Amino acid sequence: MARRLAGARALGLAVGLIGVLGGCLTAEPPAEKPVRLVWPPPPLTARVEFVRSIVSDENIERDTTFSERLVSFLGGEKPPPNRIAEPVGLAVSDDGQRLYVADFGQLAVFVFDFAQRTFTKIGGAEPLGRPVGLALDAEENLYVVEQQKRAVSVYDRKGRRLRSITHASVERPTGIAIDRARGRIYLVDTAHTLSTEHTVKVFGMAGEFVGKIGTGKGEEPGQFLFPTYAAVDAAGNLYVSDTLSSRVQVFDPHGKLVRSIGQRGNSWGSFDKPKGVALDSFGNLYVVDSGWSNVQIFNQKGQVLLFFGGRGPIPGMLKNPSAVAIDRNNRIYVGDYLNHRVEVYQLVNTQAEDSYLGSIGESRGGETTQAAESVRKPTQ
């Protein structure tokens, strides 16, 4: 029943989006007002707007979203070497000009420099060992989780390998986050079914092992069940997506559990398989849900504000997304795994006060509108 309801909700959102994209069939929209894909839908105030898709090195010059090359790839052809295939890790430079994409299938990290209009690839000559999570330090050195090597490789701005970071207890690392202010590296160890090492390993910036966060495998508070990604806020709090427990757990800088966000379900604020996590400039948490194929936004109190995305192939929609990264201008990048691209969104019409519950998707005139109700339910 729940899955049928989820399907009906997905269909409802798809119909709504088609209406938004297509407009009225009997009247053409004014040329000076291009169609926008936004969340929540009209008549509510738009908060998140779809910007573009990034699929290959050609996107340095132009958007190839609807090119014949993309259509051929989606039809089953082997992807070109500079074409995104399996985006599982993202990082964006402080100035928002450079996007780093870890491609699990292409065994490489793609670097899109939009300011210089250049494309480079780490792992072209020497393939990486299944790259997953990415992070940047204050000098924009790139930290790449190589799952096959059970280690983190560090590269400088020119793509030169500097060093490797690991520990004997690391089994199957996935996500990574860096607390620059406190000099810590958090490495999420997804581990294996029979293992108890479902933890977050903590390292110093020089690569020395400091300790672990998490009390082992399980679904009790402070335990993890196949954790995947992590993010750090300005106060040093660590957010870890506890994927198979369908929640995000939050720890303070001392590793003490602060709270848990979300639970398993198909309702507003619930998760199926949460993965990528990131924070915007207001301290709001963005959680990518691979199962529901959307991104949910929570405020600093853990209250859900909005979701965007939804399952589908059209640009702006998602299929089993993975990672997320947000730059200082609140531009949002989502690794769209089964659509083989990175989707780009922008937070719009939003101030700090909008993070309080009731300000996004709120009712008008004391009545909840049909449009507001449509954004309260995740879609699969």
Side-chain angles (χ1 to χ4, degrees):
M1 176 63 72
R3 188 164 296 276
R4 286 198 293 269
L5 288 173
R9 290 167 183 163
L11 179 60
L13 180 59
V15 171
L17 288 173
I18 291 171
V20 171
L21 292 170
C24 180
L25 296 177
T26 58
E28 295 184 0
E32 66 273 11
K33 293 183 179 180
V35 174
R36 300 168 63 206
L37 181 55
V38 298
W39 293 265
L44 298 179
T45 300
R47 303 294 184 175
V48 174
E49 179 176 5
F50 172 66
V51 176
R52 66 181 297 196
S53 297
I54 299 174
V55 298
S56 73
D57 56 338
E58 294 184 15
N59 290 125
I60 290 295
E61 299 292 339
R62 60 189 178 89
D63 192 342
T64 61
T65 301
F66 290 111
S67 69
E68 292 182 1
R69 190 173 185 180
L70 174 59
V71 172
S72 296
F73 170 69
L74 295 178
E77 289 186 8
K78 182 178 179 180
N82 295 339
R83 192 349 176 143
I84 293 173
E86 298 180 43
V88 293
L90 298 174
V92 61
S93 62
D94 288 349
D95 60 8
Q97 297 298 328
R98 287 167 298 285
L99 175 67
Y100 299 80
V101 182
D103 195 308
F104 194 80
Q106 299 279 37
L107 306 179
V109 173
F110 298 158
V111 185
F112 298 85
D113 190 324
F114 298 106
Q116 300 298 320
R117 294 189 175 183
T118 60
F119 170 87
T120 55
K121 182 163 61 174
I122 298 173
E126 183 180 348
L128 301 179
R130 295 296 181 184
V132 192
L134 300 178
L136 299 169
D137 65 18
E139 287 73 43
E140 206 174 317
N141 294 313
L142 177 67
Y143 294 67
V144 182
V145 177
E146 294 191 72
Q147 194 169 84
Q148 194 173 58
K149 296 179 180 179
R150 298 188 297 174
V152 178
S153 295
V154 186
Y155 295 85
D156 67 12
R157 282 282 302 275
K158 294 184 179 181
R160 296 175 298 201
R161 191 173 183 275
L162 301 177
R163 63 185 184 277
S164 179
I165 299 172
T166 190
H167 185 261
S169 66
V170 176
E171 293 187 351
R172 188 159 61 107
T174 300
I176 185 172
I178 295 178
D179 185 345
R180 299 181 186 178
R182 295 159 190 82
R184 294 175 187 167
I185 300 170
Y186 295 104
L187 181 62
V188 182
D189 195 346
T190 305
H192 300 281
T193 301
L194 300 180
S195 171
T196 59
E197 284 292 336
H198 294 236
T199 58
V200 177
K201 272 66 175 184
V202 186
F203 297 86
M205 294 305 296
E208 70 278 15
F209 180 72
V210 175
K212 304 177 184 179
I213 293 176
T215 56
K217 181 182 178 182
E219 297 189 73
E220 295 298 319
Q223 295 182 327
F224 292 114
L225 191 61
F226 297 94
T228 50
Y229 292 84
V232 177
D233 68 14
N237 296 308
L238 175 68
Y239 299 75
V240 183
S241 54
D242 192 6
T243 300
L244 290 194
S245 287
S246 300
R247 63 188 177 184
V248 174
Q249 297 199 75
V250 187
F251 301 83
D252 70 13
H254 304 290
K256 180 181 178 181
L257 180 65
V258 176
R259 63 179 176 274
S260 180
I261 299 173
Q263 62 283 315
R264 186 175 291 106
N266 61 2
S267 63
W268 180 241
S270 299
F271 297 123
D272 182 3
K273 294 181 179 64
K275 291 191 176 178
V277 285
L279 296 116
D280 65 19
S281 65
F282 304 115
N284 295 318
L285 174 69
Y286 292 62
V287 184
V288 173
D289 195 313
S290 179
W292 292 120
S293 291
N294 65 20
V295 182
Q296 295 195 67
I297 307 175
F298 298 81
N299 64 17
Q300 295 182 33
K301 294 182 178 180
Q303 299 168 320
V304 62
L305 300 174
L306 178 70
F307 86 87
F308 62 93
R311 193 169 187 84
I314 66 172
M317 303 294 278
L318 303 165
K319 280 188 178 181
N320 294 75
S322 53
V324 59
I326 304 175
D327 68 20
R328 289 182 177 177
N329 298 314
N330 291 322
R331 180 153 286 199
I332 307 152
Y333 302 83
V334 180
D336 192 3
Y337 186 78
L338 290 185
N339 280 326
H340 317 290
R341 63 195 180 194
V342 174
E343 297 293 71
V344 187
Y345 308 84
Q346 180 69 52
L347 187 66
V348 296
N349 306 318
T350 301
Q351 304 298 324
E353 56 268 23
D354 295 320
S355 298
Y356 294 101
L357 190 64
S359 58
I360 297 182
E362 65 184 354
S363 61
R364 295 185 175 185
E367 296 181 0
T368 302
T369 65
Q370 184 177 5
E373 185 64 22
S374 71
V375 302
R376 292 181 183 275
K377 300 169 183 175
T379 58
Q380 187 176 36

